[in-house]
């Protein structure tokens, strides 16, 4: 399928869109085609979207809990929704967090529930993400009790945010028929697993205000 919406290249982008790409490269490791679509057609939404993705998913950029758990939530959500684009993205990023090919394979079905590759916390986070994605979490007392037994309320919120975020992203990519980048390109996500800080992303965010004001006054 051909991607339904156009996306700017780095060379074509100006103003806020150019800053969105720079931020994506720095804090997410590369600029995904979805972000290109958003920055092309709604750069101000793309600005906040990129920051939210970084804060929810990345280590040390907002969320305070174990990034592995949030990564498992993102992966399982994309698998349950059968979003090939996001499953590829989240799996590659998961590898950068240390999630193995064997773990990824076990998450493709219910094998994770009995696999020795996962501990009790892993299994609880994966099951909760599946329940949220299937919209059964509201009445699934057993899965909820497993979350309460294994996590603090902050951990529950952040794992749930990762799941909810990728439910949205899954829908966008499936609806837009977003083209999947090469595996080599997506492996650049690993460059943003370490070495970036919340202080750095907050300082970068300040650059958007001046550029945005200039664009609005032009």
């Amino acid at each position: 399928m051909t991607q339904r919406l156009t996306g700017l290249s780095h060379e074509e982008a100006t103003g806020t869109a150019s800053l969105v790409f720079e931020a994506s490269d720095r804090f997410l490791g590369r600029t995904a085609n979805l972000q290109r679509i958003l920055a092309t057609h709604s750069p101000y939404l793309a600005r906040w979207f990129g920051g939210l993705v970084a804060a929810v998913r990345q280590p040390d950029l907002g969320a305070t809990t174990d990034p592995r758990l949030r990564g498992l939530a993102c992966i399982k959500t994309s698998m349950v929704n059968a979003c090939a684009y996001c499953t590829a993205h989240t799996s590659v990023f998961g590898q950068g967090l240390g999630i193995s090919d064997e773990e990824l394979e076990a998450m493709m079905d219910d094998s994770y529930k009995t696999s020795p590759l996962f501990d009790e916390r892993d299994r609880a986070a994966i099951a909760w993400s599946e329940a949220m994605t299937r919209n059964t979490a509201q009445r699934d007392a057993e899965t909820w009790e497993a979350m309460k037994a294994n996590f603090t309320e902050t951990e529950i919120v952040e794992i749930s945010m990762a799941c909810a975020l990728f439910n949205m992203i899954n829908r966008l990519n499936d609806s837009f028929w977003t083209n999947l980048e090469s595996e080599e390109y997506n492996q650049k996500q690993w460059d943003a697993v370490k070495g970036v800080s919340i202080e750095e992303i907050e300082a970068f965010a300040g650059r958007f205000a001046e550029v945005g004001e200039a664009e609005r006054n032009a």
Side-chain angles (χ1 to χ4, degrees):
M1 295 184 293
T2 302
Q3 183 170 293
R4 285 173 157 171
L5 296 171
T6 56
L8 292 168
S9 67
H10 275 58
E11 293 73 24
E12 295 168 325
T14 60
T16 298
S18 181
L19 272 184
V20 167
F21 291 174
E22 185 179 345
S24 293
D25 289 343
R26 178 64 181 132
F27 301 108
L28 298 173
R30 51 84 181 98
T31 298
N33 283 335
L34 175 61
Q35 190 68 314
R36 295 185 188 280
I37 292 171
L38 298 179
T40 299
H41 302 287
S42 187
Y44 296 103
L45 287 187
R47 167 198 171 179
W48 296 107
F49 171 82
L52 178 63
V53 173
V56 170
R57 193 185 72 159
Q58 304 295 108
D60 305 319
L61 292 183
T64 60
T65 53
D66 185 350
R68 170 185 165 86
L69 294 169
R70 288 179 275 124
L72 293 173
C74 296
I75 293 165
K76 187 60 177 178
T77 298
S78 300
M79 288 178 171
V80 172
N81 280 326
C83 178
Y85 182 92
C86 291
T87 298
H89 275 214
T90 56
S91 296
V92 169
F93 183 66
Q95 290 170 328
L97 295 174
I99 297 171
S100 68
D101 291 341
E102 292 77 16
E103 288 172 314
L104 292 172
E105 184 176 357
M107 290 176 66
M108 294 177 69
D109 53 29
D110 287 344
S111 299
Y112 75 89
K113 294 180 178 180
T114 56
S115 172
L117 297 170
F118 301 102
D119 62 23
E120 187 175 354
R121 282 164 57 86
D122 291 338
R123 287 191 287 271
I126 297 169
W128 178 247
S129 300
E130 183 170 7
M132 280 189 64
T133 301
R134 298 190 187 282
N135 201 27
T136 60
Q138 58 184 318
R139 57 184 180 274
D140 190 337
E142 181 178 353
T143 303
W144 172 244
E145 290 302 322
M147 290 295 286
K148 290 205 300 180
N150 284 282
F151 301 115
T152 66
E153 291 187 354
T154 295
E155 288 174 317
I156 292 173
V157 167
E158 293 190 354
I159 292 167
S160 299
M161 280 291 292
C163 172
L165 176 69
F166 268 87
N167 268 290
M168 176 182 70
I169 295 174
N170 294 165
R171 294 293 177 262
L172 290 172
N173 283 314
D174 281 344
S175 299
F176 294 164
W177 295 357
T178 310
N179 291 334
L180 180 62
E181 309 83 4
S182 70
E183 183 174 359
E184 181 180 11
Y185 184 75
N186 279 318
Q187 285 174 348
K188 291 183 177 182
Q189 293 179 91
W190 300 346
D191 296 336
V193 170
K194 297 179 181 179
V196 291
S197 68
I198 192 167
E199 291 79 13
E200 185 179 353
I201 196 171
E202 287 180 345
F204 191 99
R207 296 171 57 190
F208 281 98
E210 182 178 355
V211 172
E213 183 179 7
E215 287 179 332
R216 290 190 296 274
N217 293 333

